Structures are given as C-alpha cells and as structure tokens.
Amino acid sequence: MADSSFDIVSKVERQEVDNALNQAAKEISQRYDFRGVDASISWSGERIEMKANAEERVKAVLDIFQSKLIKRGISLKALDAGEPQASGKEYKISATLKEGIAQDDAKKIAKVIRDEGPKGVKAQVQGDELRVSSKSRDHLQEIIALLKGKDFDFPIQFVNYR
C-alpha cells in the first residue's frame, strides 16, 4: 500500500483579505466617530496602509480591519502590522501579509512531528511548505490534531490530504 500524505502550508486567500479591507473601509466611512478625522484604509502595492489624524484613530482603523479579517476566517497571525508613525499631521500604520513557511519554522514543525508524533511518520521540507507522509492515515490524523493543538506564531493549513 502506498504512503498517504498531506501538505502543511501557510497561505492567505487574497480575495478574502480584499473583501475584509473593503468592509472595513465602508464601516470607517459610515461611522459617526470617524467623521472629520480623515481615516482611511487601502492597498498600497502589497502593503495595507491605514491613515488617520490621531494615533488612537489609526489604531481603531487597525482594530476594525482585524475584526473583519476574523469574521472572514483569516488568522491574525498572517497580518504583520507595524507601529503607528507620525507623518506630518497624520498617523500611518503599514501592514503586510505573511505567506509561506520559513525554513526555520518548517524545521520546528518537523521536530514537533518527530518528537511527539507517532513513529513511522516522515516530514520533509519542500520550498515554503512541508509534506508529511505515513503508511497509516490514522497517524496523519494524529499529526493534524497534534499540530492544531500547538500555538505557532504563523498560521498553518492542511492541504492535499491523500
């Protein structure tokens, strides 16, 4: 019998992020407490730019955006937001989306699988993802449950289960 396998990836669905950003922008334009503070959120290339005329307001814009991401099922671990920075009369926060599993993080996951997982399970790094394989599908299910219980500082998804 051939080995069963699945891949561990860290991806963000761009369309869902775009929808969350549009919802946040709409809420900011309609909310009474954002009237006259020039608050905005928009894409700037691959970055997300948030602006307002006060530090508290730009943090509130970030908070609204984060709540929209959560509602759309996107982990906040994928959002890398900076600190508010003064730029003339306005404050800005620049955020990026983290995708892919870094080499060091992939090694951490592989070590967890080796140390705490069932015997006979192999994990190999393939670029920015990790392939986990075993002869037993039950062992793979145990690995998924084990990794879901761990708190990594990056989001992970399980794909290509076969």
Side-chain angles (χ1 to χ4, degrees):
M1 188 170 132
D3 281 5
S4 299
S5 68
F6 67 88
D7 295 336
I8 301 172
V9 297
S10 180
K11 292 192 172 144
V12 177
E13 193 150 338
R14 176 76 183 226
Q15 185 61 50
E16 289 296 327
V17 175
D18 204 33
N19 290 343
L21 186 129
N22 291 334
Q23 285 179 337
K26 185 174 182 181
E27 182 173 326
I28 290 163
S29 70
Q30 292 176 344
R31 271 182 44 176
Y32 179 76
D33 56 336
F34 283 108
R35 298 247 191 267
V37 296
D38 297 329
S40 67
I41 181 170
S42 62
W43 285 105
S44 174
E46 286 296 308
R47 304 179 77 78
I48 299 164
E49 294 287 333
M50 292 160 265
K51 299 176 189 169
N53 66 1
E55 187 174 350
E56 295 78 34
R57 290 287 175 225
V58 77
K59 285 181 178 177
V61 170
L62 175 62
D63 192 47
I64 290 170
F65 181 54
Q66 288 175 335
S67 70
K68 299 300 180 192
L69 286 175
I70 291 170
K71 284 183 183 172
R72 296 211 151 265
I74 296 169
S75 172
L76 292 183
K77 293 176 184 176
L79 184 70
D80 187 18
E83 289 298 311
Q85 295 171 333
S87 167
K89 288 185 176 178
E90 67 181 7
Y91 284 83
K92 293 181 180 181
I93 293 180
S94 195
T96 56
L97 297 170
K98 294 187 282 190
E99 288 193 287
I101 299 175
Q103 206 73 20
D104 295 345
D105 295 333
K107 288 178 183 173
K108 282 183 202 168
I109 295 173
K111 183 169 175 21
V112 167
I113 291 170
R114 265 196 324 274
D115 294 348
E116 300 177 32
K119 299 287 177 242
V121 177
K122 296 187 288 286
Q124 56 203 120
V125 179
Q126 296 181 332
D128 61 352
E129 58 186 45
L130 195 71
R131 166 126 333 136
V132 180
S133 57
S134 172
K135 293 203 182 305
S136 165
R137 285 179 170 247
D138 292 340
H139 289 281
L140 294 180
Q141 296 283 348
E142 288 177 41
I143 294 295
I144 290 175
L146 171 72
L147 293 177
K148 281 185 177 177
K150 297 288 179 191
D151 186 30
F152 297 108
D153 56 349
F154 51 93
I156 57 173
Q157 295 90 29
F158 307 100
V159 296
N160 295 338
Y161 186 84
R162 51 177 158 241

Coordinates of all heavy atoms in Angstrom, one line a residue, residues 85-153:
Q85 N 3.0 55.6 13.0 CA 4.1 56.5 12.7 C 3.5 57.8 12.3 O 2.7 57.9 11.5 CB 5.1 56.0 11.7 CG 5.8 54.7 12.1 CD 6.5 54.1 11.0 OE1 6.2 54.2 9.8 NE2 7.5 53.3 11.3
A86 N 4.1 58.9 12.9 CA 3.6 60.2 12.6 C 4.2 60.6 11.3 O 5.4 60.4 11.0 CB 4.0 61.2 13.7
S87 N 3.4 61.2 10.4 CA 3.8 61.7 9.1 C 3.2 63.0 8.8 O 2.0 63.0 8.3 CB 3.5 60.6 8.0 OG 3.6 61.2 6.8
G88 N 3.8 64.1 9.2 CA 3.2 65.4 9.1 C 2.1 65.5 10.1 O 2.3 65.3 11.3
K89 N 0.9 65.8 9.6 CA -0.3 65.9 10.5 C -1.1 64.6 10.7 O -2.1 64.6 11.4 CB -1.3 67.0 10.0 CG -0.7 68.4 10.1 CD -1.8 69.4 9.6 CE -1.3 70.8 9.8 NZ -2.3 71.8 9.4
E90 N -0.7 63.6 10.0 CA -1.4 62.3 10.1 C -0.5 61.2 10.6 O 0.7 61.2 10.6 CB -2.0 61.9 8.8 CG -1.1 61.6 7.7 CD -1.8 61.2 6.4 OE1 -3.0 61.4 6.3 OE2 -1.1 60.8 5.5
Y91 N -1.2 60.1 11.1 CA -0.5 58.9 11.6 C -0.8 57.8 10.6 O -1.9 57.7 10.0 CB -1.0 58.5 13.0 CG -0.5 59.4 14.1 CD1 -1.1 60.6 14.4 CD2 0.6 59.0 14.8 CE1 -0.5 61.5 15.4 CE2 1.2 59.8 15.8 CZ 0.6 61.0 16.1 OH 1.1 61.8 17.1
K92 N 0.2 56.9 10.4 CA 0.0 55.8 9.4 C 0.4 54.5 10.1 O 1.3 54.5 10.9 CB 0.9 56.0 8.2 CG 0.6 57.2 7.3 CD 1.6 57.2 6.2 CE 1.3 58.3 5.2 NZ 2.2 58.4 4.1
I93 N -0.3 53.5 9.7 CA 0.2 52.1 10.1 C 0.3 51.3 8.8 O -0.6 51.4 8.0 CB -0.8 51.4 11.0 CG1 -0.9 52.0 12.4 CG2 -0.4 49.9 11.2 CD1 -1.9 51.4 13.4
S94 N 1.4 50.7 8.6 CA 1.6 49.9 7.4 C 1.6 48.4 7.8 O 2.3 48.0 8.8 CB 2.9 50.3 6.8 OG 3.0 49.8 5.5
A95 N 0.8 47.6 7.1 CA 0.7 46.2 7.4 C 1.0 45.3 6.2 O 0.7 45.8 5.0 CB -0.6 45.9 7.9
T96 N 1.6 44.2 6.4 CA 1.8 43.2 5.3 C 1.2 41.9 5.7 O 0.9 41.6 6.9 CB 3.3 43.0 5.0 OG1 4.0 42.6 6.2 CG2 4.0 44.3 4.5
L97 N 1.0 41.0 4.7 CA 0.5 39.7 4.9 C 1.7 38.7 4.8 O 2.5 38.8 3.9 CB -0.5 39.3 3.8 CG -1.8 40.2 3.9 CD1 -2.6 40.0 2.7 CD2 -2.6 40.0 5.2
K98 N 1.8 37.8 5.8 CA 2.8 36.8 5.8 C 2.3 35.5 5.1 O 1.3 35.0 5.6 CB 3.3 36.5 7.2 CG 3.9 37.6 7.9 CD 4.5 37.2 9.2 CE 3.4 37.1 10.3 NZ 3.9 37.0 11.7
E99 N 3.0 35.0 4.1 CA 2.6 33.8 3.5 C 3.9 32.9 3.4 O 5.0 33.4 3.3 CB 2.1 34.0 2.1 CG 0.7 34.6 2.1 CD 0.0 34.6 0.8 OE1 0.4 35.3 -0.1 OE2 -0.9 33.8 0.6
G100 N 3.6 31.6 3.3 CA 4.7 30.6 3.2 C 5.3 30.3 4.6 O 5.3 31.2 5.5
I101 N 5.9 29.1 4.7 CA 6.5 28.7 6.0 C 8.0 28.9 5.8 O 8.6 28.3 4.9 CB 6.2 27.3 6.3 CG1 4.6 27.1 6.5 CG2 6.9 26.8 7.6 CD1 4.2 25.7 6.7
A102 N 8.6 29.7 6.6 CA 10.1 29.9 6.6 C 10.8 28.6 6.9 O 10.2 27.7 7.6 CB 10.5 31.0 7.6
Q103 N 12.0 28.5 6.4 CA 12.8 27.3 6.6 C 12.9 26.9 8.1 O 12.7 25.8 8.5 CB 14.2 27.5 6.0 CG 14.9 26.3 5.6 CD 14.3 25.7 4.3 OE1 13.6 26.4 3.6 NE2 14.6 24.4 4.1
D104 N 13.2 27.9 9.0 CA 13.3 27.6 10.4 C 12.0 27.1 11.0 O 12.0 26.2 11.8 CB 13.8 28.9 11.1 CG 15.2 29.4 10.7 OD1 15.9 28.5 10.1 OD2 15.5 30.5 11.0
D105 N 10.9 27.8 10.6 CA 9.6 27.4 11.1 C 9.3 25.9 10.6 O 8.7 25.1 11.4 CB 8.5 28.3 10.6 CG 8.7 29.7 11.2 OD1 9.3 29.8 12.3 OD2 8.3 30.7 10.6
A106 N 9.6 25.6 9.4 CA 9.4 24.3 8.9 C 10.1 23.2 9.7 O 9.6 22.1 10.0 CB 9.7 24.2 7.4
K107 N 11.4 23.6 10.0 CA 12.2 22.7 10.9 C 11.6 22.5 12.2 O 11.6 21.4 12.8 CB 13.6 23.2 11.0 CG 14.4 23.1 9.7 CD 15.8 23.6 9.8 CE 16.5 23.5 8.4 NZ 17.8 24.2 8.5
K108 N 11.0 23.6 12.8 CA 10.3 23.5 14.1 C 9.2 22.5 14.0 O 9.0 21.6 14.9 CB 9.8 24.8 14.6 CG 10.8 25.8 15.1 CD 10.1 27.0 15.6 CE 11.1 28.2 15.6 NZ 10.4 29.5 15.8
I109 N 8.4 22.6 13.0 CA 7.2 21.7 12.8 C 7.7 20.3 12.6 O 7.1 19.4 13.3 CB 6.3 22.2 11.6 CG1 5.7 23.5 11.8 CG2 5.2 21.1 11.3 CD1 5.0 24.1 10.6
A110 N 8.7 20.1 11.8 CA 9.2 18.7 11.6 C 9.7 18.1 12.9 O 9.5 16.9 13.2 CB 10.3 18.8 10.5
K111 N 10.4 18.9 13.7 CA 10.9 18.5 15.0 C 9.7 18.1 15.9 O 9.8 17.0 16.6 CB 11.7 19.6 15.7 CG 12.4 19.1 17.0 CD 13.4 20.1 17.5 CE 14.0 19.8 18.8 NZ 13.9 18.5 19.3
V112 N 8.7 18.9 16.0 CA 7.5 18.5 16.8 C 6.9 17.2 16.3 O 6.6 16.3 17.1 CB 6.4 19.6 16.7 CG1 5.1 19.1 17.2 CG2 6.9 20.9 17.4
I113 N 6.8 17.0 15.0 CA 6.3 15.7 14.4 C 7.2 14.6 14.8 O 6.7 13.5 15.2 CB 6.1 15.8 12.9 CG1 5.0 16.8 12.5 CG2 5.9 14.5 12.3 CD1 4.9 17.2 11.1
R114 N 8.5 14.7 14.7 CA 9.4 13.7 15.1 C 9.4 13.3 16.6 O 9.3 12.2 17.0 CB 10.9 14.1 14.7 CG 11.4 13.6 13.4 CD 12.9 13.7 13.3 NE 13.5 14.9 13.9 CZ 13.6 16.1 13.4 NH1 13.2 16.3 12.2 NH2 14.2 17.1 14.1
D115 N 9.4 14.4 17.4 CA 9.4 14.2 18.8 C 8.1 13.7 19.5 O 8.1 12.8 20.3 CB 9.9 15.4 19.6 CG 11.3 15.8 19.2 OD1 12.0 15.0 18.6 OD2 11.7 17.0 19.5
E116 N 7.0 14.3 19.0 CA 5.7 14.0 19.7 C 4.8 13.1 18.9 O 3.8 12.7 19.4 CB 5.1 15.3 20.1 CG 5.9 16.2 21.0 CD 5.3 17.5 21.3 OE1 4.0 17.6 21.3 OE2 6.0 18.5 21.5
G117 N 5.0 13.0 17.6 CA 4.1 12.3 16.8 C 4.4 10.8 16.8 O 5.3 10.3 17.4
P118 N 3.5 10.0 16.2 CA 3.6 8.6 16.1 C 4.9 8.2 15.3 O 5.3 9.0 14.4 CB 2.4 8.1 15.4 CG 1.6 9.2 15.1 CD 2.3 10.5 15.5
K119 N 5.4 7.0 15.5 CA 6.6 6.5 14.8 C 6.2 6.2 13.3 O 5.0 5.9 13.0 CB 7.1 5.2 15.4 CG 7.6 5.4 16.8 CD 8.9 6.3 16.9 CE 9.4 6.5 18.3 NZ 9.4 7.9 18.6
G120 N 7.1 6.3 12.4 CA 6.9 6.0 11.0 C 6.3 7.1 10.2 O 5.9 6.9 9.1
V121 N 6.2 8.3 10.8 CA 5.7 9.5 10.1 C 6.9 10.3 9.6 O 7.8 10.6 10.4 CB 4.8 10.3 11.0 CG1 4.3 11.6 10.2 CG2 3.6 9.5 11.4
K122 N 6.9 10.6 8.3 CA 8.1 11.4 7.8 C 7.6 12.8 7.4 O 6.5 13.0 6.9 CB 8.6 10.7 6.5 CG 9.2 9.3 6.8 CD 9.8 8.7 5.5 CE 8.9 8.3 4.5 NZ 8.2 7.1 4.7
A123 N 8.4 13.8 7.7 CA 8.1 15.2 7.3 C 9.3 15.7 6.5 O 10.4 15.6 7.0 CB 7.9 16.0 8.6
Q124 N 9.0 16.2 5.3 CA 10.1 16.8 4.5 C 9.7 18.2 4.0 O 8.6 18.5 3.7 CB 10.5 15.9 3.4 CG 9.3 15.5 2.5 CD 9.6 14.2 1.7 OE1 8.8 13.3 1.9 NE2 10.6 14.1 1.0
V125 N 10.7 19.1 4.1 CA 10.5 20.5 3.7 C 10.6 20.5 2.2 O 11.5 20.0 1.5 CB 11.6 21.4 4.3 CG1 11.4 22.8 3.9 CG2 11.6 21.3 5.8
Q126 N 9.6 21.2 1.6 CA 9.5 21.4 0.1 C 9.3 22.9 -0.2 O 8.1 23.3 -0.2 CB 8.4 20.5 -0.5 CG 8.7 19.1 -0.4 CD 7.6 18.2 -1.0 OE1 6.5 18.7 -1.2 NE2 7.9 17.1 -1.5
G127 N 10.3 23.6 -0.3 CA 10.2 25.1 -0.5 C 9.6 25.8 0.7 O 10.1 25.7 1.8
D128 N 8.4 26.4 0.5 CA 7.8 27.1 1.6 C 6.6 26.3 2.2 O 5.7 26.8 2.8 CB 7.3 28.5 1.2 CG 6.3 28.5 0.1 OD1 6.1 27.4 -0.5 OD2 5.8 29.6 -0.2
E129 N 6.6 24.9 2.0 CA 5.6 24.1 2.6 C 6.3 22.8 3.1 O 7.5 22.6 2.9 CB 4.5 23.8 1.6 CG 4.9 23.1 0.3 CD 3.8 22.9 -0.6 OE1 3.0 23.9 -0.8 OE2 3.6 21.9 -1.2
L130 N 5.5 22.0 3.8 CA 6.0 20.8 4.5 C 5.2 19.6 4.1 O 3.9 19.7 4.2 CB 6.0 21.0 6.0 CG 6.8 20.1 6.9 CD1 8.3 20.4 6.7 CD2 6.4 20.4 8.3
R131 N 5.7 18.5 3.6 CA 5.0 17.3 3.2 C 5.1 16.3 4.3 O 6.2 16.0 4.7 CB 5.4 16.8 1.9 CG 4.9 15.4 1.7 CD 4.2 15.0 0.4 NE 3.5 16.1 -0.3 CZ 3.5 16.2 -1.6 NH1 4.2 15.5 -2.3 NH2 2.8 17.1 -2.2
V132 N 4.0 15.8 4.8 CA 4.0 14.8 5.9 C 3.4 13.5 5.3 O 2.4 13.6 4.7 CB 3.2 15.3 7.1 CG1 3.2 14.2 8.2 CG2 3.7 16.6 7.6
S133 N 4.2 12.4 5.4 CA 3.7 11.2 4.9 C 3.8 10.0 5.9 O 4.7 10.0 6.7 CB 4.4 10.8 3.6 OG 5.8 10.8 3.8
S134 N 2.9 9.0 5.7 CA 2.9 7.9 6.6 C 2.2 6.8 5.9 O 1.4 7.0 5.0 CB 2.3 8.2 7.9 OG 2.1 7.1 8.7
K135 N 2.4 5.5 6.3 CA 1.7 4.4 5.7 C 0.2 4.4 6.3 O -0.7 3.9 5.7 CB 2.4 3.1 6.0 CG 3.7 2.9 5.3 CD 4.0 1.5 5.2 CE 5.4 1.3 4.5 NZ 5.5 1.9 3.2
S136 N 0.1 4.9 7.5 CA -1.2 4.9 8.2 C -1.9 6.3 8.2 O -1.4 7.3 8.6 CB -1.0 4.5 9.7 OG -2.1 4.8 10.4
R137 N -3.1 6.3 7.7 CA -3.9 7.5 7.6 C -4.3 8.0 9.1 O -4.4 9.2 9.3 CB -5.2 7.3 6.9 CG -5.0 7.3 5.4 CD -6.3 7.1 4.6 NE -6.0 7.3 3.2 CZ -6.5 8.3 2.5 NH1 -7.3 9.2 3.1 NH2 -6.2 8.5 1.2
D138 N -4.4 7.0 10.0 CA -4.7 7.4 11.4 C -3.5 8.2 12.0 O -3.8 9.1 12.7 CB -4.9 6.1 12.2 CG -6.2 5.4 11.8 OD1 -7.1 6.0 11.2 OD2 -6.3 4.2 12.1
H139 N -2.3 7.8 11.6 CA -1.1 8.6 12.1 C -1.2 10.0 11.6 O -0.8 10.9 12.3 CB 0.2 7.9 11.7 CG 0.5 6.6 12.4 ND1 1.0 6.5 13.7 CD2 0.3 5.3 12.0 CE1 1.1 5.3 14.0 NE2 0.7 4.5 13.0
L140 N -1.6 10.2 10.3 CA -1.7 11.5 9.8 C -2.8 12.3 10.5 O -2.6 13.5 10.8 CB -2.0 11.4 8.3 CG -0.9 10.8 7.4 CD1 -1.3 10.8 5.9 CD2 0.4 11.6 7.6
Q141 N -3.9 11.7 10.8 CA -4.9 12.4 11.6 C -4.4 12.8 13.0 O -4.7 13.9 13.4 CB -6.1 11.5 11.8 CG -6.8 11.1 10.5 CD -7.7 12.2 10.0 OE1 -8.0 13.2 10.6 NE2 -8.2 12.0 8.7
E142 N -3.6 11.9 13.6 CA -3.0 12.3 14.9 C -2.1 13.5 14.7 O -2.0 14.4 15.6 CB -2.2 11.1 15.4 CG -3.1 10.0 15.9 CD -2.2 8.8 16.4 OE1 -1.2 9.0 17.0 OE2 -2.6 7.6 16.1
I143 N -1.3 13.5 13.7 CA -0.4 14.6 13.4 C -1.1 16.0 13.3 O -0.8 17.0 13.8 CB 0.5 14.4 12.2 CG1 1.5 13.2 12.4 CG2 1.3 15.6 11.8 CD1 2.5 13.4 13.5
I144 N -2.2 15.9 12.5 CA -3.1 17.1 12.3 C -3.6 17.6 13.6 O -3.5 18.8 14.0 CB -4.2 16.9 11.3 CG1 -3.6 16.7 9.9 CG2 -5.2 18.0 11.3 CD1 -4.6 16.3 8.8
A145 N -4.1 16.7 14.4 CA -4.6 17.1 15.8 C -3.5 17.6 16.6 O -3.7 18.6 17.4 CB -5.3 15.8 16.4
L146 N -2.3 17.0 16.6 CA -1.2 17.5 17.4 C -0.8 18.9 17.0 O -0.6 19.8 17.9 CB 0.0 16.5 17.2 CG 1.3 17.0 17.8 CD1 1.3 16.8 19.3 CD2 2.5 16.1 17.2
L147 N -0.7 19.2 15.7 CA -0.3 20.5 15.2 C -1.4 21.6 15.5 O -1.0 22.7 15.7 CB 0.1 20.4 13.8 CG 1.3 19.6 13.5 CD1 1.6 19.5 12.0 CD2 2.6 20.1 14.2
K148 N -2.6 21.2 15.4 CA -3.7 22.1 15.7 C -3.7 22.6 17.2 O -4.0 23.7 17.5 CB -5.1 21.6 15.4 CG -5.4 21.6 13.9 CD -6.8 21.1 13.6 CE -7.1 21.2 12.1 NZ -8.4 20.7 11.8
G149 N -3.2 21.7 18.0 CA -3.1 22.0 19.5 C -1.9 22.8 19.8 O -1.9 23.4 20.9
K150 N -0.9 22.9 18.9 CA 0.3 23.8 19.1 C 0.0 25.2 18.7 O -0.8 25.4 17.8 CB 1.5 23.2 18.3 CG 1.9 21.9 18.7 CD 2.6 21.9 20.0 CE 3.0 20.5 20.4 NZ 3.5 20.4 21.8
D151 N 0.7 26.1 19.4 CA 0.5 27.5 19.1 C 1.7 28.1 18.4 O 2.7 28.5 19.1 CB 0.2 28.3 20.3 CG -0.2 29.8 20.0 OD1 -0.7 30.0 19.0 OD2 0.1 30.6 20.9
F152 N 1.7 28.0 17.1 CA 2.9 28.6 16.3 C 2.6 30.1 16.1 O 1.5 30.5 16.2 CB 3.0 27.9 15.0 CG 3.3 26.4 15.1 CD1 2.3 25.4 14.8 CD2 4.5 26.0 15.5 CE1 2.6 24.1 14.9 CE2 4.8 24.6 15.6 CZ 3.9 23.7 15.3
D153 N 3.6 30.8 15.8 CA 3.5 32.3 15.6 C 3.2 32.6 14.1 O 3.5 33.7 13.6 CB 4.7 33.1 16.1 CG 6.0 32.6 15.5 OD1 6.0 31.5 14.9 OD2 7.0 33.3 15.8

